[in-house]
Amino acid sequence: MRGLQTLLRIRETYIGIVAAIAFQLIFFTIWMTAYDGVNERADQLSIGLLTEDTEMGSQIVKDMKDNIPFN
């Protein structure tokens, strides 16, 4: 308990705590709001496939077209 009291007397401890809380608030408000409406925009999703293997690449493209539930 005495070690915790000594730690809390240091000014930088409070700066670190405030910075950690501010980072979480910024993350929540900016980053997480970018995921709003993702399901409504799924029809606009484009998928690209790059491969140097011409034999296996065409088979992968065919399998993806058959198995992916998008148009």
Side-chain angles (χ1 to χ4, degrees):
M1 187 67 174
R2 185 174 174 172
L4 183 60
Q5 288 175 345
T6 304
L7 182 65
L8 291 176
R9 287 186 187 141
I10 302 171
R11 183 175 146 225
E12 286 82 10
T13 303
Y14 292 110
I15 294 172
I17 292 170
V18 169
I21 292 171
F23 176 78
Q24 293 298 321
L25 290 174
I26 291 169
F27 176 80
F28 182 73
T29 56
I30 294 174
W31 182 270
M32 296 304 287
T33 55
Y35 292 105
D36 185 35
V38 170
N39 293 332
E40 290 81 21
R41 297 187 304 257
D43 58 340
Q44 300 172 5
L45 179 65
S46 298
I47 296 175
L49 178 66
L50 301 174
T51 181
E52 293 181 7
D53 184 4
T54 55
E55 295 174 14
M56 194 64 178
S58 60
Q59 180 64 31
I60 292 172
V61 169
K62 181 181 174 292
D63 290 342
M64 286 179 68
K65 285 182 180 180
D66 294 339
N67 295 327
I68 294 179
F70 297 109
N71 296 330

